[in-house]
Amino acid sequence: MSDSSTMLDAVAYVAEAQAVLEAATSLLSIDDVESNFLGKKSGLALAHRTLGQLDPEQRKTYGAVLYGIRQELEGLIAGRREVVAEIERSAALKADQLDLTEVIPGLVSTVVRRGHQHLISQTQAELEDVFVGMGFTVADGPEVETDWFNFEALNIPPAHPARGMWDTFYLELGDPETVVLRTHTSPVQIHLMEEAVAQNALPIHAVMPGRCFRRDTPDARHLHTFHQIEGLVIDEAIAFTDLAGVIQTFTTAYFGPDISSRLRPAFFPFTEPSAEFEITCTICHGGGCRTCSQTGWIELGGCGMVDPAVLSAVGIDPERYQGFAFGFGIDRCAQMRHQIADMRALVENDLRFIEQF
Ligand code: PHE
């Protein structure tokens, strides 16, 4: 029979455990506290083993005291675990954080730079403005075309030698060589004329800007992916002089009075007569340079009177209606207007170039 002096001092036991717990700053050290104060070799476990030697009344009281200690310690340990777990979690998160400004100094710039429209888009908008000012509407059409729109309806039958004028990208959709990336914006003429016929909405006075594609090797004056703006007028009593007047008015409006333009006889299957439209090279002012291949002139595009065969192909009566069409390079216009010696600069995305415009 043990006397009360060997009994566990509940208050002291709990106070000691509490002090050690508070000093524990890791989950592992809390495990230690738990086994030291609640485990098989703990003072509590030892005290438990003495219960058997007590008389029933004492056993009951002392048993309840020991149970109370266990309960209280379990609560304290669980509480401390939560606190320490939270501390450990935020420490781990903090350690995992990657401060990019430390890794790559200067990566996060404090200057917010403002973007702007690319020169090609600006040029397209300016060209549209010029033509809208002359009474044209603006339309667009698909970049992927069937052979019929890109060639056949434009009076270029299959295997016609004139197809060699356009090195074509073919898409592998359906029958071979039937679907193309449009090589010019002229197929939009066909779309507009077909719509106008279907809706009985002639005349047409429209410009059609858009992206075109050719299997060309890029050089100072060519890109394989480039932009054209097409013009189409279909009306009654339209003559070549109307076309020449529009080209002249456009040149002066866009390039200014110092730039001369000229029309040279040319051939396009969908216009008759046809002409090439050139302006003075703005890089050398006509003296001859690499950009203009020493000619002093830069070809902007082609034009002519719409061939009656094209009108017939879309169901317009060529006896009643005539028209003219033109198509020229938007990128080429930007190049000449801003004296860009090499057109490839437009698509190289060098900020030092882009920011100049
Ligand atoms: N589509 C022609 C080309 O890209 C240009 C053109 C348009 C010529 C309209 C005449 C009429 O080469």
Side-chain angles (χ1 to χ4, degrees):
M1 157 91 223
S2 60
D3 60 52
S4 58
S5 66
T6 65
M7 283 188 179
L8 195 62
D9 177 345
V11 177
Y13 194 77
V14 171
E16 194 194 339
Q18 206 163 9
V20 192
L21 254 189
E22 256 153 46
T25 50
S26 73
L27 290 174
L28 278 179
S29 52
I30 296 177
D31 290 346
D32 287 343
V33 177
E34 185 174 39
S35 95
N36 289 343
F37 286 86
L38 292 175
K40 282 196 191 105
K41 290 180 185 147
S42 65
L44 190 63
L46 291 180
H48 237 275
R49 264 173 244 139
T50 63
L51 275 181
Q53 303 155 16
L54 300 181
D55 58 52
E57 203 46 41
Q58 269 183 318
R59 191 188 302 156
K60 204 172 162 195
T61 330
Y62 192 41
V65 170
L66 295 185
Y67 181 71
I69 294 174
R70 175 168 293 278
Q71 288 267 295
E72 185 165 1
L73 287 188
E74 278 175 0
L76 288 173
I77 288 170
R80 183 66 186 158
R81 270 215 177 91
E82 260 175 47
V83 173
V84 170
E86 181 53 41
I87 293 171
E88 284 194 354
R89 196 164 38 238
S90 45
L93 277 180
K94 201 157 186 183
D96 274 355
Q97 250 172 23
L98 188 60
D99 184 347
L100 292 179
T101 57
E102 270 171 26
V103 179
I104 308 172
L107 182 75
V108 178
S109 162
T110 47
V111 186
V112 177
R113 292 199 292 181
R114 205 161 160 178
H116 62 73
Q117 270 198 326
H118 189 276
L119 180 58
I120 296 175
S121 306
Q122 291 178 39
T123 306
Q124 177 174 326
E126 284 169 28
L127 295 175
E128 287 175 13
D129 280 353
V130 169
F131 284 108
V132 166
M134 293 164 75
F136 288 80
T137 57
V138 180
D140 64 10
E143 292 175 356
V144 174
E145 285 287 11
T146 58
D147 183 274
W148 196 78
F149 282 101
N150 197 78
F151 292 122
E152 217 172 325
L154 288 163
N155 203 24
I156 319 167
H160 191 282
R163 288 193 178 209
M165 294 168 76
W166 298 275
D167 285 319
T168 309
F169 284 115
Y170 289 93
L171 293 186
E172 289 182 7
L173 293 170
D175 290 338
E177 307 208 343
T178 54
V179 183
V180 304
L181 290 181
R182 67 178 175 195
T183 58
H184 48 183
T185 40
S186 297
V188 192
Q189 291 184 31
I190 305 299
H191 288 289
L192 289 192
M193 287 189 275
E194 284 190 342
E195 276 165 34
V197 167
Q199 293 163 13
N200 202 12
L202 288 167
I204 298 169
H205 303 85
V207 288
M208 304 138 250
R211 205 151 57 135
C212 305
F213 311 84
R214 286 185 202 173
R215 282 182 50 185
D216 278 341
T217 305
D219 63 25
R221 285 194 316 257
H222 300 89
L223 301 172
H224 52 70
T225 301
F226 58 102
H227 299 77
Q228 282 193 335
I229 185 162
E230 190 85 9
L232 178 68
V233 170
I234 302 287
D235 207 338
E236 295 176 63
I238 296 289
F240 196 92
T241 46
D242 297 313
L243 166 61
V246 165
I247 298 280
Q248 180 58 48
T249 308
F250 156 76
T251 307
T252 312
Y254 185 72
F255 292 103
D258 298 340
I259 294 298
S260 332
S261 64
R262 67 178 188 185
L263 294 178
R264 293 202 310 161
F267 171 77
F268 295 101
F270 34 92
T271 45
E272 183 61 34
S274 304
E276 252 161 24
F277 154 37
E278 299 181 334
I279 62 164
T280 319
C281 176
T282 60
I283 311 286
C284 61
H285 302 284
C289 67
R290 256 179 2 111
T291 307
C292 61
S293 305
Q294 313 302 332
T295 63
W297 292 91
I298 288 281
E299 186 202 323
L300 279 192
C303 59
M305 302 304 291
V306 178
D307 194 300
V310 175
L311 297 176
S312 300
V314 295
I316 294 177
D317 177 6
E319 296 296 327
R320 180 166 169 207
Y321 287 100
Q322 311 77 43
F324 64 78
F326 56 82
F328 56 82
I330 294 177
D331 324 74
R332 200 66 77 71
C333 284
Q335 178 180 27
M336 284 301 111
R337 171 84 170 261
H338 300 282
Q339 281 125 52
I340 300 163
D342 193 318
M343 191 190 270
R344 287 169 289 194
L346 285 172
V347 290
E348 274 163 0
N349 287 338
D350 184 332
L351 275 182
R352 288 165 299 184
F353 172 81
I354 289 175
E355 281 173 345
Q356 291 172 42
F357 304 101

